[in-house]
Amino acid sequence: MRDQHGGPWIRYGTPQRALWFAVADLIADPREVFSRLSKVGAQYLTPGAQNGLKREIEAHTDYREALVAARPGWLQGFYVFGDGTRASPRFDTREVIVAFEPHPKFTPRGSLEDWQIAVAPFATRQPLPFFVIAFALIGPLLRFAPRGYINSQAEIVGDPETGKSSMGVLAASVWAGNPESDCGGGESFDLTVNFLDTLKLNHGDSLLFLDEANLAGASQKDREDFAHQMVFKVAATGSRRRLGDAAQGEHTRLAMLSTTNAALADLVNGSVQVRSALQSRRITIRIAPEAPHGGFTFLPPGYESARAASEAMVAVADDYWGMVGRAFVKHLVRAAERDESRLIEVIENNLKSYIREDRVPVGSARVQKSFALAAVAAALAQRFGVLPKEWGSPLHLIQDVARAAANKEAPRVADPHASMLAYVEAHRAALVEVSDLAAPLSTADFEDAAGFLRRIGDDVELLVPATRFQCTFQDHGALMRRLRDAGLAQTEGGRTPKLTIKTPKTICQEGRVYCIKLGHFTS
């Protein structure tokens, strides 16, 4: 058959064992094609036998038309996953040929709901885990992004045992998994630069996670050369051209996440211009050795240490993978089939909105665009129901990571007690002294209130209506848990513990409030 570019392809073998190869590949690299044919039982060992097959192909003239997927990713309106399965438009009946060798790590395990429930404790209102999941969804979105949005790159930098690899395994689980591998659905950095072209093709329009950059090269010089070449090679969509390739060649969009003990730009001792060019093309997120919870902003509920939480998160990724990216892509395929121009417009407007709202000094325009892509991907995923909205606001969580990247530190929530004092300072005139109330407020007046100050001896408590608190603090759950753990909040115990308490009857007969202990505070 002939592919979408007019290039001829041959399927050779038996009904039980066969493979597709491009005639152009037979011309450019016959050894590779005959090696592949041997795997399906076609033994062409001598020049005479090989030339005989070539003559047979040369004489063949009966070709039908079809779409050929030479790699995973977008194929016009179709999307071909790494395991060879497809997300197809409902009304496009064209034949699709999968000509690459499927990889079992892309075969999904579990359901989307399984993954959502299992990951929730680690991702809910946690900036870095949420970000790596959102970053993993950038790949398929790049097809619809405006010109100027190149392949996104991010690296998580930290000492051993800080949980950086666990974050990468979580991100990889969006698309792939492998319990036998230390990096889950990712790949080891123990590779050559030229092999990156192959990895890019294998992870087209999805995520490539590379673990432990310290494995790249046997010497410091090797690592410097690798870092320099890799960043530019991944940023570009193209790959090495071969004799016989179609005129437009293979262009691969993807996002790449890596982990490393030292930022790749720091491995290069070249000129300031070279190092600046490397830094401008990738997000660098650092996990400080003294960070109390590693890559987590706060300890996930039910875990006594960041190490225990990281190990549990990797175990989840080893149990469930591949359904998130699959579900996200299927929604994109349907949306593009309905109205691709409208989908492009929505994505472009949301990207502009993020960049307009983002006042964080994140460095280069490329880095800012990568953060914007992650935020828009997560927002779309929440709209599609792929990511739960209860996990938090993509805008705020990803801006937290952007701030941390700009400040070269790990993402963290501001000091919770200081946040409460700042809230009191900002709303000082609107706060109501409970002792001044002559009668309980109506429900409407209670809901409209900024908060109440209740004095108990020399100490003061701040009580904020639940809806008001949740709208003001996007990370309200994490904030209250930290206040509670520090003994600075009153919460409700019982069979189903709550972070709120019932509103004191002297304030209102209904509703719930968040109760924060300010200590000795002068209003």
Side-chain angles (χ1 to χ4, degrees):
M1 37 72 70
R2 292 191 182 276
D3 65 17
Q4 57 272 22
H5 307 302
W9 287 72
I10 300 292
R11 183 176 187 269
Y12 198 85
T14 68
Q16 291 74 34
R17 300 175 66 194
L19 59 79
W20 287 94
F21 62 87
V23 173
D25 287 340
L26 185 61
I27 297 171
D29 193 357
R31 291 178 61 184
E32 193 275 337
V33 172
F34 285 115
S35 175
R36 290 174 57 209
L37 285 172
S38 69
K39 296 177 182 178
V40 297
Q43 306 291 339
Y44 289 92
L45 304 180
T46 64
Q50 294 174 3
N51 288 333
L53 177 61
K54 291 178 181 179
R55 284 192 293 270
E56 186 178 352
I57 292 172
E58 188 176 50
H60 191 77
T61 59
D62 183 18
Y63 289 87
R64 70 181 189 277
E65 302 294 323
L67 299 176
V68 173
R71 62 164 180 82
W74 287 107
L75 181 62
Q76 299 187 14
F78 297 81
Y79 188 99
V80 182
F81 298 102
D83 65 346
T85 58
R86 302 187 290 277
S88 305
R90 283 172 291 185
F91 304 111
D92 192 333
T93 59
R94 287 178 293 176
E95 182 183 7
V96 174
I97 301 298
V98 176
F100 62 85
E101 185 174 351
H103 197 298
K105 77 174 186 178
F106 295 107
T107 301
R109 175 187 284 186
S111 68
L112 175 61
E113 185 180 12
D114 290 335
W115 184 91
Q116 290 174 338
I117 293 171
V119 169
F122 312 105
T124 301
R125 307 200 182 279
Q126 294 269 15
L128 185 53
F130 187 93
F131 168 76
V132 298
I133 292 168
F135 188 82
L137 294 173
I138 287 176
L141 209 63
L142 286 168
R143 174 174 180 247
F144 307 102
R147 179 175 289 275
Y149 282 79
I150 65 173
N151 291 342
S152 293
Q153 300 182 62
E155 61 182 351
I156 303 176
V157 182
D159 290 343
E161 305 297 325
T162 52
K164 59 185 186 297
S165 294
S166 302
M167 295 294 167
V169 172
L170 173 65
S173 73
V174 168
W175 296 97
N178 181 1
E180 304 301 318
S181 168
D182 291 338
C183 48
E187 301 287 339
S188 169
F189 241 120
D190 190 11
L191 51 86
T192 64
V193 170
N194 288 335
F195 189 62
L196 272 174
D197 279 338
T198 299
L199 285 181
K200 281 175 63 178
L201 291 174
N202 292 345
H203 296 79
D205 296 306
S206 65
L207 174 77
L208 171 59
F209 165 50
L210 291 177
D211 195 29
E212 297 294 355
N214 54 293
L215 296 176
S219 67
Q220 174 66 21
K221 179 64 167 59
D222 290 340
R223 285 190 286 275
E224 285 185 20
D225 292 343
F226 186 94
H228 183 270
Q229 296 179 56
M230 185 201 71
V231 172
F232 290 99
K233 183 178 280 287
V234 173
T237 62
S239 58
R240 286 181 180 271
R241 295 288 301 278
R242 301 168 301 170
L243 176 66
D245 279 350
Q248 56 268 55
E250 278 287 354
H251 287 270
T252 308
R253 302 179 184 90
L254 80 165
M256 191 190 82
L257 177 67
S258 60
T259 63
T260 174
N261 293 340
L264 289 184
D266 295 341
L267 295 176
V268 177
N269 294 321
S271 66
V272 173
Q273 291 85 352
V274 169
R275 296 183 64 186
S276 177
L278 293 176
Q279 290 171 333
S280 73
R281 284 166 170 80
R282 61 194 291 111
I283 297 168
T284 298
I285 302 163
R286 302 175 190 272
I287 301 178
E290 65 274 12
H293 307 304
F296 298 108
T297 300
F298 54 89
L299 278 180
Y303 294 95
E304 304 244 343
S305 68
R307 179 175 182 175
S310 292
E311 290 174 352
M313 188 170 70
V314 170
V316 166
D318 284 343
D319 285 337
Y320 310 112
W321 71 74
M323 291 305 302
V324 182
R326 192 168 292 254
F328 184 63
V329 162
K330 287 179 179 178
H331 282 284
L332 289 178
V333 168
R334 296 288 183 264
E337 184 179 29
R338 285 193 301 270
D339 190 342
E340 184 167 333
S341 61
R342 174 58 182 159
L343 176 61
I344 291 172
E345 181 184 4
V346 167
I347 291 171
E348 184 171 3
N349 288 341
N350 286 337
L351 289 169
K352 289 178 179 177
S353 176
Y354 174 90
I355 292 173
R356 186 166 56 247
E357 291 183 37
D358 183 16
R359 299 294 179 259
V360 181
V362 295
S364 72
R366 292 186 181 97
V367 167
Q368 189 178 45
K369 287 177 178 179
S370 290
F371 278 121
L373 282 165
V376 172
L380 280 174
Q382 287 189 340
R383 187 184 306 174
F384 296 153
V386 175
L387 297 184
K389 292 183 179 179
E390 295 78 18
W391 287 8
S393 160
L395 175 65
H396 292 95
L397 289 168
I398 289 172
Q399 281 183 337
D400 283 347
V401 177
R403 290 188 187 93
N407 296 328
K408 297 185 178 181
E409 60 188 18
R412 66 175 185 267
V413 174
D415 176 70
H417 191 244
S419 296
M420 295 300 97
L421 294 178
Y423 180 85
V424 171
E425 184 65 25
H427 299 86
R428 185 182 293 268
L431 295 175
V432 178
E433 290 276 357
V434 174
S435 60
D436 291 342
L437 288 172
L441 299 177
S442 67
T443 302
D445 289 341
F446 164 73
E447 294 288 353
D448 286 341
F452 306 87
L453 295 174
R454 182 169 65 176
R455 300 180 182 276
I456 303 174
D458 292 333
D459 293 330
V460 178
E461 290 180 342
L462 170 67
L463 298 97
V464 183
T467 302
R468 178 67 173 261
F469 191 90
Q470 291 169 3
C471 290
T472 302
F473 299 102
Q474 193 65 41
D475 57 345
H476 55 85
L479 199 59
M480 280 302 295
R481 281 189 288 271
R482 292 187 66 189
L483 287 164
R484 177 199 61 195
D485 294 345
L488 297 174
Q490 181 182 345
T491 58
E492 190 175 281
R495 185 171 298 177
T496 55
K498 296 181 176 64
L499 296 175
T500 57
I501 62 172
K502 292 180 179 179
T503 305
K505 299 300 183 184
T506 53
I507 297 175
C508 183
Q509 297 296 318
E510 300 180 10
R512 299 185 71 85
V513 294
Y514 287 85
C515 179
I516 298 96
K517 300 175 182 180
L518 299 177
H520 184 64
F521 177 80
T522 303
S523 63

